[in-house]
Amino acid sequence: MTSLDPSHPLSAGLTADSRLVRSYQGERQEVVPVWFMRQAGRSLPEYRELRVGTRMLDACLDPAMASEITLQPVRRHGVDAGIFFSDIVVPLKLAGVAVEIQPGRGPVFDQPVRTAADVARLEEVDPASLDAATFAPIAEAVRLTTDELGSTPLIGFAGAPFTLAAYLVEGGPSKDHIRARTMMHADPETWARLMAWSADVTGAFLRAQLLAGASAAQLFDSWAGSLSLRDYVEHVAPASARALSHIRDLTYDVPRSPAADTETAEAGEAAGIEEPLLRNVPIVHFGVGTGELLNAMHDVGADTVGVDYRTPLDEAARRLGHVVPLQGNVDPAMLDAPWDVLSAHVVDVLERGREAPSHVLNLGHGVPPETDPAVLTRVVELVHEWRP
């Protein structure tokens, strides 16, 4: 186990008792916490103004700009967390992979990775060599952000190994990820090497964010929904677990509640010892189109499972045995619906979320770029006012 620095927002007590962190740990809150995937940027005019003349990856690697973009939706909407402004391919770029994000298309790679020789070329960069100097812009952006956020938690963000590998093999976005899935079966040894390398790179990226001050982590698997359950379990889950192993050891102490573990507390009191509780940094795992994979995604080492808009939260809770905290899952398409339609949908999601031990309201995918920011603010107010 690795203890976070005493100055870390969790260790220092700034965020450990926040609605978000406690919800991720399975403690239901009177007020349901809310934040939105892709809230940093996308729909905000202040974001678009700030980004003028700056390419996406350059913005991600500019600490002051990345911090400001992360903070903008927290200031505007009053959400319960900031999500670190970055992109899933940032760790690949830091590892020396030639990639650019083309507006309107997404990440595009100079050299797709489709053979054993291509994977060997990637492996020339040992993920273990990606040290503090490599991630210095990321750590600085996190520190700048957490200094401003205070008691509002920052969520670290990284792409899951399958999504990174799929982009690398396809050379860019794909509708069906057929080349990646073909490599998985046609050359499973090369596929496993690619997944292991991707897991270690993205895991190191996520660890850098947490050590610098993020209070939770989200592993985002954009393309896992293209997989069967069998393929996910055999060819993907081990790499996702490997990625999360980079952060699973991160812990912090919190004062023991008088009601917690009464027998242990009484024994400690009798001995004059008051032991704190040891907590791990909470981990969320989210995928798109992954309703059939929820249990397997939880089993890789997540505390909370994010659910996209296709699976109702009460059904997701049932599939997970009603014991796993959930995050989600307002349909992003509803954000442009009349308020009476949207508000009824949000309340329905909140009601269904009661089937889980705890619930963090979010979208079932990212904020569409054309979303009216005032609508997001109104949704936050509705969620914070709602009571079961």
Side-chain angles (χ1 to χ4, degrees):
M1 293 293 180
T2 302
S3 296
L4 296 174
D5 188 272
S7 64
H8 189 285
L10 286 170
S11 301
L14 284 172
T15 59
D17 200 40
S18 65
R19 295 171 188 159
L20 182 92
V21 169
R22 292 178 66 185
S23 293
Y24 282 160
Q25 292 168 337
E27 300 176 31
R28 178 162 289 277
Q29 304 298 292
E30 181 181 0
V31 176
V32 174
V34 52
W35 66 278
F36 305 109
M37 282 183 283
R38 293 182 179 167
Q39 67 186 16
R42 305 281 283 190
S43 67
L44 298 185
E46 55 264 42
Y47 163 77
R48 291 191 289 269
E49 181 180 349
L50 183 63
R51 273 283 314 281
V52 170
T54 305
R55 294 181 300 178
M56 175 64 177
L57 291 179
D58 291 338
C60 293
L61 294 172
D62 180 324
M65 185 175 288
S67 176
E68 172 60 22
I69 293 170
T70 302
L71 292 166
Q72 286 174 347
V74 181
R75 296 193 199 107
R76 179 186 273 263
H77 303 311
V79 286
D80 291 288
I83 178 71
F84 185 57
F85 176 73
S86 190
D87 190 272
I88 62 171
V89 300
V90 165
L92 299 181
K93 186 173 182 68
L94 292 174
V97 176
V99 57
E100 287 298 337
I101 298 179
Q102 294 185 358
R105 186 180 178 195
V108 177
F109 296 82
D110 286 357
Q111 294 180 280
V113 178
R114 295 176 182 167
T115 67
D118 293 333
V119 174
R121 173 170 46 83
L122 285 179
E123 291 172 329
E124 291 175 3
V125 176
D126 182 354
S129 70
L130 305 178
D131 56 11
T134 306
F135 293 116
I138 306 303
E140 178 63 16
V142 170
R143 283 191 287 269
L144 290 172
T145 305
T146 53
D147 284 349
E148 291 292 327
L149 285 174
S151 61
T152 300
L154 176 68
I155 302 169
F157 163 83
F162 175 72
T163 291
L164 294 187
Y167 270 122
L168 285 164
V169 175
E170 301 291 342
S174 168
K175 292 182 179 179
D176 55 13
H177 317 101
I178 189 68
R179 289 189 178 95
R181 292 188 291 115
T182 297
M183 179 192 281
M184 179 188 299
H185 296 289
D187 191 353
E189 181 180 345
T190 297
W191 173 258
R193 287 168 49 207
L194 174 59
M195 289 292 281
W197 186 87
S198 299
D200 288 341
V201 168
T202 204
F205 176 60
L206 200 51
R207 186 179 180 88
Q209 295 171 58
L210 294 177
L211 289 176
S215 294
Q218 175 161 294
L219 193 69
F220 190 104
D221 214 342
S222 307
W223 308 131
S226 67
L227 300 167
S228 68
L229 177 58
R230 178 176 179 177
D231 282 350
Y232 180 84
V233 170
E234 292 186 7
H235 299 286
V236 172
S240 293
R242 180 170 177 152
L244 292 182
S245 73
H246 284 261
I247 61 171
R248 195 70 219 179
D249 67 311
L250 297 178
T251 62
Y252 64 100
D253 291 333
V254 294
R256 185 180 294 277
S257 165
D261 196 356
T262 304
E263 185 176 338
T264 302
E266 288 176 351
E269 185 178 342
I273 301 171
E274 195 169 313
E275 291 289 338
L277 287 170
L278 190 67
R279 295 279 199 180
N280 69 280
V281 176
I283 299 171
V284 186
H285 195 11
F286 172 79
V288 180
T290 52
E292 299 304 315
L293 311 180
L294 295 178
N295 276 291
M297 291 177 68
H298 176 248
D299 289 345
V300 303
D303 301 298
T304 296
V305 173
V307 184
D308 83 350
Y309 57 88
R310 296 169 179 85
T311 305
L313 285 188
D314 51 349
E315 173 59 16
R318 185 193 67 79
R319 294 181 186 187
L320 288 161
H322 300 277
V323 295
V324 178
L326 295 181
Q327 179 175 277
N329 68 341
V330 171
D331 187 344
M334 290 284 193
L335 294 175
D336 199 34
W339 176 248
D340 61 333
V341 175
L342 171 58
S343 60
H345 174 57
V346 171
V347 170
D348 181 64
V349 170
L350 289 166
E351 291 286 354
R352 293 177 187 273
R354 295 171 64 188
E355 294 297 314
S358 55
H359 175 213
V360 174
L361 190 118
N362 207 303
L363 300 180
H365 202 188
V367 175
E370 63 276 9
T371 301
D372 179 356
V375 171
L376 295 176
T377 303
R378 198 172 181 186
V379 168
V380 173
E381 292 170 349
L382 171 62
V383 175
H384 283 168
E385 292 169 359
W386 181 83
R387 297 293 185 276

